[in-house]
Amino acid sequence: MDDSVPQSDLRVSIVQGETRWHDPAGNRDHYAGLIAPLHGITDLVVLPETFTSGFSNDAVSAAEDMQGTTVAWMLEQADRLDAAVTGSVQLRDGDGVYNRMLFAAPGGGLAHYDKRHLFSFANEHERYAAGDRRVIVEWKGWHILLQVCYDLRFPVFSRNRFDAARPGLPDYDLALYVANWPSVRSHAWKTLLRARAIENVSYVVGVNRVGIDGNGLHYSGDSAVIDFLGQPVSECMDTEVVVTTTLQAAELQAHRERFPALRDADAFNLEA
């Protein structure tokens, strides 16, 4: 049996929280309380984008580094829950500050992806540095693409290729999008999540925040798990909530065998 494709189901927990504005310690405590009951019932916990501060250009001045409190906190939560924990925070690395999506695993495993597409509409590009590589992690037999918010609008960067990174297989099985996506653009959020799932023949999980941030922007959540047909497996409304959904490995593989559309896709190389 080929162990490079998922052989077991994956339990994924959406954490659709109301992030406090510019309050890293308060947010760590708040999110720790939300996810504490997940021990033993999940494999992967997904927090929103910039979950320690909200989406703020001014948070640059308080950015931690990889040896800081928040990275240690994520590793601690992964050990406590015996599950991977992911979400993005502002982190300083060298001369730049990145909107960095961390992927912490039990036992100290840590990977990260730096947001590639910066939201110039809100001047994110003036304060943050852009990432220069796509990141796919492997967890419990699943290959998982890490993406942050605005990346959702750029399908080439998330395109699932066939027979490129993995001989005879797609690049990934699940795409994660963590976000601070305002409710005024919620239709685009919901539509694009479904589009990314359909075109990439992959599960997609999108996790957004709720509430009103320090800039007065309202967030309606709309976090969701979307299957490879573009159908919602679970959807969240406009409230703080934690939802755990099981992704079916056998159903994904059966659909890919029954409808092998990725094999007919155009071959190309990704460049930053």
Side-chain angles (χ1 to χ4, degrees), residues 1-7 138 141-143 166-167 169-170 173 253:
M1 183 175 290
D2 189 350
D3 62 1
S4 62
V5 299
Q7 301 298 327
E138 184 176 358
W142 290 69
H143 287 73
R166 300 193 288 167
L169 293 168
D173 311 300
Q253 298 308 321

Side-chain angles (χ1 to χ4, degrees), residues 102-121:
L102 300 166
F103 192 96
L110 184 65
H112 71 265
Y113 160 69
D114 294 329
K115 186 177 182 181
R116 175 72 184 95
H117 300 94
L118 301 181
F119 193 40
S120 61
F121 182 77

Side-chain angles (χ1 to χ4, degrees), residues 167-183:
L169 293 168
D171 289 343
Y172 62 85
D173 311 300
L174 164 64
L176 300 180
Y177 291 90
V178 300
N180 275 212
W181 196 288
S183 57

Side-chain angles (χ1 to χ4, degrees), residues 14-21 27 30-31 34 46-51 53-55 178-184 186 189 206-224 235-243:
I14 288 172
V15 186
Q16 182 175 275
E18 185 170 354
T19 302
R20 279 68 173 146
W21 191 247
N27 281 310
H30 180 63
Y31 279 105
L34 290 178
V46 188
L47 304 170
E49 178 187 21
T50 56
F51 70 88
S53 66
F55 185 74
V178 300
N180 275 212
W181 196 288
S183 57
V184 69
S186 63
W189 164 256
V207 177
N208 193 22
R209 63 159 291 173
V210 292
I212 299 174
D213 71 11
N215 290 321
L217 293 174
H218 177 263
Y219 299 85
S220 56
D222 302 308
S223 301
E235 294 180 284
C236 301
M237 304 300 287
D238 185 4
T239 186
E240 188 169 72
V241 67
V242 179
V243 177

Side-chain angles (χ1 to χ4, degrees), residues 6-205:
Q7 301 298 327
S8 60
D9 298 339
L10 188 73
R11 301 168 297 175
V12 179
S13 296
I14 288 172
V15 186
Q16 182 175 275
E18 185 170 354
T19 302
R20 279 68 173 146
W21 191 247
H22 287 199
D23 185 5
N27 281 310
R28 286 190 295 267
D29 288 345
H30 180 63
Y31 279 105
L34 290 178
I35 67 179
L38 296 175
H39 181 271
I41 66 170
T42 193
D43 302 305
L44 173 59
V45 176
V46 188
L47 304 170
E49 178 187 21
T50 56
F51 70 88
T52 59
S53 66
F55 185 74
S56 168
N57 287 334
D58 294 332
V60 166
S61 61
E64 304 173 29
D65 59 25
M66 292 294 283
Q67 287 70 50
T69 304
T70 299
V71 173
W73 178 88
M74 291 191 72
L75 290 167
E76 178 185 359
Q77 297 305 313
D79 283 339
R80 284 185 176 180
L81 300 176
D82 192 28
V85 179
T86 188
S88 94
V89 295
Q90 297 95 341
L91 286 173
R92 186 174 300 279
D93 193 340
D95 295 330
V97 175
Y98 295 86
N99 187 340
R100 178 165 288 181
M101 187 173 179
L102 300 166
F103 192 96
L110 184 65
H112 71 265
Y113 160 69
D114 294 329
K115 186 177 182 181
R116 175 72 184 95
H117 300 94
L118 301 181
F119 193 40
S120 61
F121 182 77
N123 299 317
E124 185 182 19
H125 67 298
E126 295 179 357
R127 305 296 298 278
Y128 292 89
D132 60 3
R133 64 189 180 99
R134 193 167 83 159
V135 175
I136 296 172
V137 298
E138 184 176 358
W139 178 240
K140 293 189 175 293
W142 290 69
H143 287 73
I144 303 171
L145 176 69
L146 306 183
Q147 300 276 273
V148 179
C149 201
Y150 197 39
D151 289 328
L152 181 61
R153 289 185 178 269
F154 301 94
V156 172
F157 193 63
S158 63
R159 184 64 174 169
N160 205 359
R161 302 165 304 168
F162 185 81
D163 200 29
R166 300 193 288 167
L169 293 168
D171 289 343
Y172 62 85
D173 311 300
L174 164 64
L176 300 180
Y177 291 90
V178 300
N180 275 212
W181 196 288
S183 57
V184 69
R185 293 185 287 277
S186 63
H187 178 71
W189 164 256
K190 290 183 281 189
T191 301
L192 292 172
L193 288 176
R194 286 154 178 75
R196 297 296 85 81
I198 294 168
E199 69 196 9
N200 293 307
V201 196
S202 168
Y203 279 105
V204 166
V205 172

